[in-house]
Amino acid sequence: MSFDLTYTDRQKAFRAEVRAWMAENVPGQRLPSLDTAEGFAQHRAWERRLHAGGWSMVTWPRDYGGRGCDLIEWLIFEEEYYRAEAPLRVSQNGIFLLGPTLMEFGTPEQKARFLPPMANGDEIWAQAWSEPNAGSDMAAIRARAVREGDHYVVSGQKIWSSRAVFADWCFGIFRTDPASRRHKGLSFLLIPLSAKGVTVRPIEQLDGDPGFAEIFFDDVKVPVGNRLGAEGQGWSIAMATAGFERGLMLRSPARFQKTAERLVALYKSRADRATPEAKAAVLRAWQETEAYCLNTYYTASRLMSGAAIGPEASCNKIFWSEMDRRMHRAAMALMGAFAELEEGTPEAIDDGRWLDGYMFSLAGPIYAGTNEIQRNIIAERCLGLPRS
Ligand SMILES: Cc1cc2nc3c(=O)[nH]c(=O)nc-3n(C[C@H](O)[C@H](O)[C@H](O)COP(=O)(O)OP(=O)(O)OC[C@H]3O[C@@H](n4cnc5c(N)ncnc54)[C@H](O)[C@@H]3O)c2cc1C
């Protein structure tokens, strides 16, 4: 298929419009971490501002608060977003993962109920997939939802739910057929975290911030209308959501290109102390981010001509997560002893952002499905190798 890298006049005008809006609206100071109550509130306020400007989710249809942009425009938007160093998206579980899932599987009532407050930051969503014994092996899910008339009674536990302590709703899959095994008999439910019987208990990260939570469901009444798709269809809907996460939406190239750009600047500022290995690592980072960008433009062009993302989304996930970890390692090596200085320390380079980024990059090969599992998927479903 043809793959044209020239921007049209319309795309150039769109870029200029995004750039101008970001220049006027991006907060002058970095917001506190979205894993803290104060940071979460400030990021929610930023979501509202983005929405008021019409930039909350550019690819969504206008009826739901979007701008109806195609995927190339979305990539341009993301480039300008990261170029302007705009805040991280606290709404990402909703707008990038549940939003597209709702558009594919939701009823008109569900779309009308859930999409607008998701787009404007009024309702922020947590992802409730993992359980203590069902992380990589999601088919081992035990949390139950027993149907009683027009509602389900939900009981069980979820874990590692990012920012659930501050979020408003969660989505997850629950066993609605008690006699079922593995990926059968699961249903996809949308549950308010304020519902009676829900307890959200924070889990501190290494830095002490309550970035994760356990969610306990103790006979929580959930209306049947909060089920997405048919009863028992939860697994296939969840796999579609995971595909959005691993494929295109969660990690646009711009995020990594910005990191590579900062790495080049860091190298230049410390070039007199840099080793040949450091120089090679910086070059590699730049090459890889450019390659990832080209590959993403190619995928976007394919999708716009009617192709669908399949198991190859797993290659994407492995690539960005390992690239991000390598880039941050290279930065840590360049900074030497300064690498350990945290945000707020006067001598910290770039106000400790590299250390923050490095710690988060270590999680990349774990969240959105571990890289070992992605390799299994590639082996079995892309290459047709036998199951281990
Ligand atoms: C930053 C971060 C944010 C997260 N946010 C969320 C969230 O919002 N919501 C949520 O539900 N979860 C979230 N998680 C949890 C994450 O999805 C799980 O940690 C992940 O799926 C792995 O599950 P586990 O921790 O139970 O590890 P396990 O499944 O116990 O795996 C342990 C190790 O064994 C390997 N392994 C397991 N099975 C196999 C196999 N068959 N073949 C080869 N290797 C295997 C794994 O790859 C891993 O290295 C988050 C995790 C992180 C780090």
Side-chain angles (χ1 to χ4, degrees), residues 38-314:
E38 188 201 352
F40 192 89
Q42 291 192 27
H43 280 79
R44 192 198 285 270
W46 167 246
E47 291 292 336
R48 293 193 167 123
R49 192 156 168 178
L50 270 176
H51 182 259
W55 300 108
S56 147
M57 190 53 208
V58 295
T59 55
W60 282 19
R62 288 184 185 275
D63 285 356
Y64 300 125
R67 211 171 250 264
C69 288
D70 64 27
L71 289 174
I72 301 294
E73 286 164 332
W74 171 69
L75 285 167
I76 294 172
F77 171 78
E78 290 277 299
E79 282 164 18
E80 292 305 318
Y81 193 89
Y82 282 98
R83 187 180 168 279
E85 306 209 27
L88 291 175
R89 302 295 304 271
V90 74
S91 285
Q92 61 182 340
N93 283 331
I95 57 180
F96 295 142
L97 307 183
L98 182 60
T101 314
L102 265 166
M103 285 184 222
E104 200 169 324
F105 299 96
T107 61
E109 293 73 28
Q110 287 174 328
K111 291 181 206 177
R113 161 65 189 84
F114 292 114
L115 291 173
M118 189 185 289
N120 69 16
D122 278 354
E123 288 177 355
I124 295 188
W125 288 78
Q127 199 181 20
W129 295 145
S130 307
E131 294 187 9
N133 291 308
S136 299
D137 185 13
M138 256 184 31
I141 275 174
R142 288 169 58 186
R144 292 186 309 149
V146 179
R147 184 148 180 182
E148 285 183 7
D150 61 358
H151 64 264
Y152 291 102
V153 177
V154 177
S155 53
Q157 183 195 347
K158 301 284 177 177
I159 193 169
W160 306 127
S161 190
S162 297
R163 292 173 293 281
V165 233
F166 310 120
D168 308 292
W169 282 73
C170 72
F171 59 89
I173 46 178
F174 297 83
R175 203 161 283 286
T176 37
D177 176 359
S180 65
R181 293 180 58 97
R182 308 295 299 159
H183 56 276
K184 299 199 165 65
L186 296 164
S187 299
F188 196 118
L189 298 181
L190 313 173
I191 306 181
L193 290 170
S194 57
K196 189 164 174 279
V198 174
T199 307
V200 183
R201 198 157 72 193
I203 305 175
E204 283 186 4
Q205 300 172 155
L206 261 182
D207 59 10
D209 291 343
F212 293 119
E214 295 172 290
I215 310 178
F216 298 91
F217 301 91
D218 188 8
D219 291 343
V220 180
K221 274 177 85 169
V222 178
V224 170
N226 285 19
R227 189 190 66 220
L228 191 52
E231 189 169 287
Q233 200 196 349
W235 180 259
S236 55
I237 303 179
M239 288 305 108
T241 314
F244 295 129
E245 189 169 29
R246 293 164 194 164
L248 208 59
M249 284 297 182
L250 188 68
R251 293 285 177 258
S252 66
R255 176 186 178 117
F256 304 112
Q257 286 175 300
K258 184 75 202 174
T259 310
E261 195 186 292
R262 288 176 49 230
L263 184 61
V264 171
L266 178 70
Y267 177 82
K268 284 183 181 162
S269 71
R270 304 183 66 79
D272 52 335
R273 271 160 291 192
T275 58
E277 289 76 26
K279 187 175 188 177
V282 174
L283 274 174
R284 181 176 182 183
W286 187 83
Q287 285 174 323
E288 285 186 336
T289 52
E290 290 304 303
Y292 181 58
C293 177
L294 289 175
N295 185 59
T296 310
Y297 268 90
Y298 176 60
T299 307
S301 310
R302 279 199 312 122
L303 294 178
M304 282 162 62
S305 341
I309 286 201
E312 75 276 13
S314 296

Side-chain angles (χ1 to χ4, degrees), residues 312-369:
E312 75 276 13
S314 296
C315 300
N316 213 46
K317 201 261 144 166
I318 294 174
F319 191 82
W320 62 247
S321 55
E322 295 191 344
M323 170 176 73
D324 195 36
R325 201 172 46 177
R326 270 194 296 273
M327 278 199 284
H328 280 92
R329 274 205 186 125
M332 300 303 274
L334 271 171
M335 290 189 294
F338 286 92
E340 290 172 33
L341 300 180
E342 289 178 336
E343 183 183 349
T345 315
E347 294 81 9
I349 296 173
D350 207 359
D351 196 23
R353 273 164 81 193
W354 285 110
L355 180 58
D356 263 4
Y358 171 67
M359 290 203 283
F360 190 67
S361 76
L362 297 178
I366 303 172
Y367 67 83

